Amino acid sequence: MLPVTPIRQLLLLPLASMAMLFTQQAFAQGNFFEPLDVQVETSSQDGIGLLGWLIEEVSFGLQDPGAGFARQESGINKIETRLFLQYDKELADDWNFRISGNVYHDEVYRAYESRNYSTAEINVHRNRYQVRDFYLEHETDNGLYFKFGNQIVAWGQAEYLRVTDLVNTEDQFTFAQQDLEDLRLQVPAVLASFPVGEWQIEGVATWEAGLNQLAPERDEFDPYIALRQAGIQPVILDSAKKHEIFFRASRQSSLGDVQIVMGEFNNNTPSGVGTAVAQGVSQPPAFLFQATRNRAIGVAGNRVSGPWLAFAEAGFHKNRALRPALMTVAAMNNSWETKDQWLGVLGLEYSGFENLLLSVEIDSIYTQDHTANLWTDANQTGFGARFYWTAMNERLQISGVWNELPDAVGEVTRLSANFDWSDSWSLGLLWVGYKSAPDSVYALYDQNDVLQLQVRFNFQY
C-alpha cells in the first residue's frame, strides 16, 4: 500500500492543479458560440419523416500541443465521418415519436498510429454511436403537454454562462469546436407543461442524466493531463443522487419574455472530493472526483425595441464546489470547498444592419464567504462578443466569437464560414484560437489552435 503523502502532493501540486481548474472553469462556458437556435424542419407524409446528414470533417492542429499529449507536433488531428439520422412518426392524434442519433468514425487513429494514442482515446473516438432524441410527446386539448424520454430542455438567455440553463449535459470533448446542434446533450427526462393564465408552468425530472462528456486520457483537451503527468490517477465516482428536478414559469409577450427557474441537480462537472491510496507498488495514487449536489433559483428575460434586443439573467447557486488555491492543505488533499454564488448576465443584440447580427454579453460571478484558500477571486467577470453575417440569399454564413473567460485567465476566438452549394451540399471552414498567459492554468491547452474543413450532405424523405 503506497500512501498519498502530503509531501508527495506538495511537489506535484503545481502541475496537477492546472488540469483540475480547467475542468472547473473552462467547461462551465457552455453556450459559448451559439449565434442562433438550430431548428431543423422535417418533411412528413402520413405523419412519418426521415432526415439526416453525412459530414466529412478534416481538422489540422496548427501548433505543437506539448509533452503528455498523444499528438506532439502540429498536423492532422481529425479525419472524422459522421452520420446523423432523425426519424419522426405520428402515432395517434396529438401523439408523436422521435428518435435520432449519430454514428462516428475517425480514421486519424489508423492513419497516425505512430502517435501512440491512449486506449481511452481510441475506444471513445475511433468508432462510437450516440443516441440523441428518443421520446414520446403528447398535447391535450386543454394545453397540457407531456414529453417522455431522451430530450433537450433549453432554458435561459445567456450564451457564455449557465445561470438558468441547467438541465442538459454538454459535449466537452473539445472546447469551442463543437457544432451548434451537438453542444447540448439529451438527457433521460419527463417533462410536463401546462398553462396557468398568461403563464406557462413546466416541470422536469431526470434520472441518471450523467456528466459532461470530457476528453479521454492524453487527448488534446484531457482535463486531467497534468495529474497524469504528475503520476496521479483521476478517478470519477458516480453521483450520490441519480435524480434531478427542475421547474420553470415563463411568460411571453410582444415586447419580450420572462422566466423563473428553480432546480436541484448534480453539477455536470465533477470536483475534487479527496484522495485514495494506491493498491500496489506499481499503481499510481488517485485523486477522487464526484459531482456535487446543487440548488439554484434564477430569473431570465429579454426586451425587444426595434432592432435592439436586451437580455439579462440573475441567479443564486447553492453549494458550488470551488477548487482550492495552490499550496494549501485542501489542495494537497484534493478537497474542494463548497460555496454559494450569485451569477449575473447582461447582454445586448443589434440587428439594424442588413444581414448582420451583433451582440455583446458581460458575465459576473460573486462568491459568498470567500476565503484566501480558494483559487478564484470573490468577484469574477467575463466578456463575450460575436457577429453573424449572411450573404447571397443566406447561402453564405460567416460568424465570429471572442470570449474572455472569467478573471481574464484565458481567451478563445472562433471564426467560421459556411457556404450552401445547393440544397443538399454545403462547405464549411472553421478556425479556433486559444490564448493565455504562460503562468495561467490554461497554458497546457494554449497550443490547440485548429483549422477545420467540413463537407456536408443533407437529405430527407
Side-chain angles (χ1 to χ4, degrees):
M1 301 288 285
L2 177 63
V4 184
T5 64
I7 294 177
R8 176 180 174 85
Q9 293 181 24
L10 184 64
L11 295 174
L12 298 176
L13 187 60
L15 287 175
S17 61
M18 295 180 184
M20 294 187 292
L21 182 64
F22 184 87
T23 306
Q24 175 69 10
Q25 287 285 357
F27 291 152
Q29 303 299 306
N31 303 329
F32 121 99
F33 55 96
E34 191 167 355
L36 294 173
D37 290 335
V38 177
Q39 298 291 336
V40 180
E41 297 294 334
T42 65
S43 64
S44 63
Q45 183 177 3
D46 297 327
I48 301 175
L50 176 66
L51 65 82
W53 50 78
L54 181 67
I55 294 176
E56 187 65 33
E57 204 167 72
V58 178
S59 179
F60 189 90
L62 301 175
Q63 299 170 293
D64 303 340
F69 297 97
R71 180 173 67 86
Q72 299 285 307
E73 300 176 347
S74 62
I76 292 176
N77 62 355
K78 181 191 294 186
I79 311 173
E80 185 179 85
T81 303
R82 178 163 79 253
L83 174 65
F84 172 83
L85 291 174
Q86 177 178 298
Y87 173 77
D88 294 274
K89 181 175 177 58
E90 184 178 333
L91 301 177
D93 291 341
D94 299 321
W95 280 95
N96 298 294
F97 169 74
R98 170 175 289 181
I99 182 171
S100 67
N102 288 305
V103 179
Y104 301 82
H105 170 71
D106 197 338
E107 185 63 19
V108 75
Y109 297 101
R110 197 190 322 268
Y112 293 89
E113 289 180 321
S114 60
R115 288 178 180 170
N116 192 27
Y117 290 107
S118 70
T119 301
E121 277 185 287
I122 295 173
N123 289 343
V124 169
H125 288 313
R126 184 164 65 182
N127 294 295
R128 63 187 176 101
Y129 70 90
Q130 181 184 65
V131 177
R132 300 286 292 189
D133 292 312
F134 186 36
Y135 62 77
L136 281 170
E137 61 179 351
H138 175 64
E139 185 170 7
T140 64
D141 294 336
N142 61 4
L144 185 61
Y145 173 79
F146 295 97
K147 184 186 278 189
F148 310 88
N150 239 34
Q151 58 186 285
I152 284 179
V153 183
W155 293 347
Q157 305 286 329
E159 297 182 2
Y160 307 92
L161 185 66
R162 298 187 70 167
V163 181
T164 60
D165 184 16
L166 305 172
V167 180
N168 293 98
T169 59
E170 294 181 349
D171 177 356
Q172 295 291 358
F173 283 141
T174 60
F175 184 44
Q177 298 177 25
Q178 305 93 330
D179 290 336
L180 299 180
E181 62 266 30
D182 293 330
L183 183 59
R184 287 189 184 92
L185 297 175
Q186 285 84 343
V187 294
V190 176
L191 180 148
S193 174
F194 55 92
V196 177
E198 296 181 345
W199 289 81
Q200 193 73 18
I201 308 300
E202 297 169 86
V204 178
T206 72
W207 180 259
E208 293 190 347
L211 304 172
N212 291 337
Q213 290 184 343
L214 303 181
E217 181 180 355
R218 296 213 310 272
D219 193 74
E220 293 172 14
F221 286 93
D222 176 4
Y224 304 108
I225 188 67
L227 288 179
R228 305 185 206 279
Q229 292 176 350
I232 299 176
Q233 179 65 32
V235 176
I236 312 301
L237 305 177
D238 290 337
S239 301
K241 293 185 178 181
K242 306 299 183 183
H243 71 282
E244 300 171 307
I245 301 175
F246 308 89
F247 296 97
R248 181 175 76 158
S250 59
R251 179 179 178 180
Q252 298 180 339
S253 71
S254 59
L255 295 178
D257 310 328
V258 64
Q259 54 187 285
I260 302 169
V261 174
M262 296 181 291
E264 181 178 333
F265 52 94
N266 298 319
N267 193 316
N268 294 330
T269 300
S271 52
V273 294
T275 61
V277 296
Q279 300 301 310
V281 176
S282 62
Q283 296 181 359
F287 273 14
L288 306 180
F289 294 85
Q290 189 178 43
T292 56
R293 191 71 171 180
N294 297 158
R295 292 181 179 177
I297 183 170
V299 59
N302 58 49
R303 176 85 174 185
V304 179
S305 178
W308 294 95
L309 170 66
F311 60 91
E313 290 196 49
F316 178 70
H317 288 210
K318 191 171 182 59
N319 202 42
R320 294 292 299 269
L322 303 176
R323 72 156 269 88
L326 298 178
M327 312 307 288
T328 61
V329 173
M332 290 185 287
N333 291 319
N334 191 41
S335 179
W336 297 28
E337 292 188 54
T338 56
K339 298 290 183 179
D340 299 340
Q341 291 185 325
W342 289 93
L343 290 78
V345 172
L346 288 175
L348 194 64
E349 288 188 358
Y350 180 72
S351 58
F353 300 112
E354 184 177 4
N355 301 330
L356 177 64
L357 176 67
L358 301 173
S359 71
V360 295
E361 178 180 312
I362 299 175
D363 304 322
S364 178
I365 305 173
Y366 170 70
T367 302
Q368 290 188 176
D369 301 322
H370 185 275
T371 69
N373 292 327
L374 298 176
W375 183 88
T376 57
D377 293 334
N379 292 284
Q380 305 173 65
T381 303
F383 180 80
R386 65 175 169 87
F387 74 87
Y388 181 74
W389 179 74
T390 62
M392 304 175 64
N393 293 323
E394 299 188 353
R395 292 176 63 190
L396 176 65
Q397 310 101 35
I398 298 177
S399 64
V401 172
W402 175 69
N403 183 207
E404 182 178 284
L405 304 179
D407 278 357
V409 293
E411 300 176 9
V412 182
T413 306
R414 172 187 168 98
L415 295 173
S416 66
N418 290 278
F419 178 70
D420 298 329
W421 185 266
S422 66
D423 291 340
S424 298
W425 291 95
S426 63
L427 303 175
L429 186 65
L430 168 69
W431 172 80
V432 182
Y434 305 89
K435 181 180 178 181
S436 62
D439 58 346
S440 169
V441 294
Y442 295 92
L444 281 173
Y445 312 93
D446 206 12
Q447 305 301 310
N448 284 338
D449 292 9
V450 67
L451 185 66
Q452 182 173 285
L453 177 66
Q454 181 185 99
V455 179
R456 173 166 167 165
F457 174 70
N458 303 296
F459 55 90
Q460 60 180 13
Y461 301 99

